Amino acid sequence: MRFRSFDSLSIFRVVAERMSFTSAADRLNLSKGAVSYQVAKLEQELGFELFERHHTHIRLTARGQALLKEASRHLGKLEDIIDDLRDVSQ
């Protein structure tokens, strides 16, 4: 099955970097519910949990940590390439 949730992966990255759904929602200009839905959708597609959810905080699972590391590296590289291409076209 082909992976289709790249938007959700980007949202996951922001949540994981901030360790807060609320802070990520503010950063992304989305509702907290929308952010939570996207992360849940990503977890469902992946077939595993990315966060341990506690009453007052969240924590990345081991798989979540591994995915964050690679998502940050690869999505960051894509962002750099896009920035470079924009600079060339101007």
Side-chain angles (χ1 to χ4, degrees), residues 1 3 18 22 47 56 62 73:
M1 176 186 264
F3 182 75
R18 293 173 173 255
T22 302
T56 59
R73 187 174 79 165

Side-chain angles (χ1 to χ4, degrees), residues 36-67:
S36 181
Y37 171 80
Q38 290 296 324
V39 172
K41 182 176 128 183
L42 177 61
E43 289 175 324
Q44 183 177 15
E45 182 176 348
L46 295 172
F48 55 85
E49 290 186 353
L50 298 167
F51 294 99
E52 295 174 9
R53 291 160 174 87
H54 302 280
H55 181 66
T56 59
H57 66 282
I58 58 174
R59 193 170 89 187
L60 284 167
T61 63
R63 288 178 173 174
Q65 290 173 1
L67 184 60

Side-chain angles (χ1 to χ4, degrees), residues 3-22:
F3 182 75
R4 300 177 194 273
S5 296
F6 288 100
D7 287 340
S8 296
L9 185 61
S10 292
I11 290 170
F12 156 74
R13 187 175 116 185
V14 176
V15 173
E17 288 171 349
R18 293 173 173 255
M19 292 310 295
S20 168
F21 284 89
T22 302

Side-chain angles (χ1 to χ4, degrees), residues 60-78:
L60 284 167
T61 63
R63 288 178 173 174
Q65 290 173 1
L67 184 60
L68 174 60
K69 178 182 174 187
E70 295 305 320
S72 294
R73 187 174 79 165
H74 294 287
L75 292 174
K77 182 67 175 166
L78 284 171

